């Protein structure tokens, strides 16, 4: 009886927590939809002004890029498009990515010998940590760094945003390297 009463008392708390998570996901999805509409408009305006074709491939690639939660490679982008049953040639993928970089919808960077891409529209300033051994990357939330860069005065230059990449070795690779060294010493 006591456990049943306890379960009934905890129900509202569990419900509130679940509702909060659902609300956060719903808001995140709504924000994504808002960004997708805006980037589609940027692309459409550019294509119309420059008398270029509005192809389904360009819009499919654009949607796929803005569905990635983080950074991606061309291989990962191609795999996502294939999983959606949308085949795009390698040349089309490269040309489309280059167009999006020109429009500042996508940025690229190199890590561990591989080019990675990131959706850049409405992108807030942020920091990345990148493992130079395995290439794993993650976004680091550091208000102190963001504040320092924001407060830095640059001459004859207007800052829009920044991305900072901190290169090093992740804890998994450090542990693996240490184990390998210990094996060699035995």
């Amino acid at each position: 009886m006591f456990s049943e009463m306890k379960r009934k008392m905890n129900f509202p708390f569990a419900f509130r927590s679940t509702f909060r998570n659902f609300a956060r996901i719903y808001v995140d999805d709504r924000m994504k939809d808002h960004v997708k509409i805006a980037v589609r408009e940027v692309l459409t305006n550019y294509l119309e002004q420059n008398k270029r074709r509005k192809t389904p491939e360009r819009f499919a690639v654009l949607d796929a890029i803005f569905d990635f939660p983080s950074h991606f490679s061309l291989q990962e982008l191609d795999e996502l498009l294939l999983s959606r049953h949308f085949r795009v040639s390698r040349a089309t993928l490269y040309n489309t990515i280059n167009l999006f970089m020109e429009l500042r919808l996508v940025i690229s960077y190199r890590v561990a010998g591989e080019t990675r891409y990131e959706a850049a529209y409405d992108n807030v300033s942020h920091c990345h940590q990148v493992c130079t051994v395995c290439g794993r990357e993650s976004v680091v939330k550091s208000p102190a760094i963001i504040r320092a860069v924001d407060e830095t005065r640059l001459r004859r230059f207007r800052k829009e945003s920044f991305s900072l990449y901190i290169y090093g070795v992740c804890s998994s690779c450090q542990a693996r390297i240490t184990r390998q060294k210990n094996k060699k010493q035995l």
Side-chain angles (χ1 to χ4, degrees):
M1 170 125 186
F2 178 75
S3 63
E4 186 178 316
M5 203 163 81
K6 187 177 174 185
R7 191 176 58 234
K8 285 181 181 177
M9 287 173 48
N10 284 336
F11 174 75
F13 297 110
F15 176 75
R16 275 187 238 146
S17 174
T18 303
F19 179 75
R20 228 178 291 129
N21 288 338
F22 172 76
R24 183 176 40 78
I25 291 166
Y26 177 74
V27 169
D28 287 348
D29 286 346
R30 293 285 306 250
M31 292 290 282
K32 264 188 177 179
D33 290 343
H34 172 70
V35 169
K36 275 188 177 180
I37 291 167
V39 295
R40 283 176 148 268
E41 194 172 303
V42 167
L43 179 59
T44 300
N45 290 341
Y46 173 83
L47 296 173
E48 287 174 355
Q49 288 174 359
N50 292 286
K51 295 180 175 49
R52 293 177 74 178
R53 292 183 10 235
K54 292 187 263 183
T55 63
E57 290 82 6
R58 287 181 175 144
F59 289 97
V61 171
L62 186 70
D63 288 340
I65 287 170
F66 282 88
D67 282 341
F68 273 101
S70 185
H71 317 94
F72 59 92
S73 66
L74 279 181
Q75 180 67 33
E76 293 166 337
L77 179 59
D78 191 36
E79 289 169 5
L80 179 61
L81 289 166
L82 284 174
S83 73
R84 294 178 176 181
H85 307 290
F86 204 96
R87 175 80 176 104
V88 178
S89 73
R90 211 46 143 159
T92 299
L93 215 48
Y94 277 108
N95 292 334
T96 304
I97 285 285
N98 286 334
L99 172 64
F100 294 166
M101 287 192 303
E102 181 184 324
L103 295 174
R104 297 172 62 189
L105 299 175
V106 172
I107 57 173
S108 71
Y109 62 94
R110 291 201 46 87
V111 60
E114 181 184 32
T115 302
R116 305 284 293 173
Y117 300 91
E118 176 180 9
Y121 182 83
D122 201 27
N123 202 356
V124 294
S125 299
H126 58 285
C127 307
H128 305 262
Q129 60 186 21
V130 182
C131 179
T132 55
V133 177
C134 67
R136 188 179 326 161
E137 57 193 81
S138 59
V139 174
V140 177
K141 299 198 184 316
S142 178
I145 293 173
I146 292 172
R147 201 170 28 260
V149 172
D150 285 343
E151 292 171 359
T152 302
R153 293 193 181 265
L154 302 171
R155 298 213 278 145
R156 302 176 72 148
F157 189 79
R158 182 178 56 88
K159 291 180 288 199
E160 294 175 354
S161 67
F162 76 90
S163 291
L164 173 67
Y165 297 92
I166 303 168
Y167 297 95
V169 181
C170 71
S171 59
S172 299
C173 290
Q174 287 175 17
R176 188 169 26 87
I177 291 168
T178 302
R179 282 192 306 270
Q180 288 173 348
K181 282 182 182 177
N182 290 341
K183 280 184 181 178
K184 287 181 182 179
Q185 289 176 354
L186 296 176

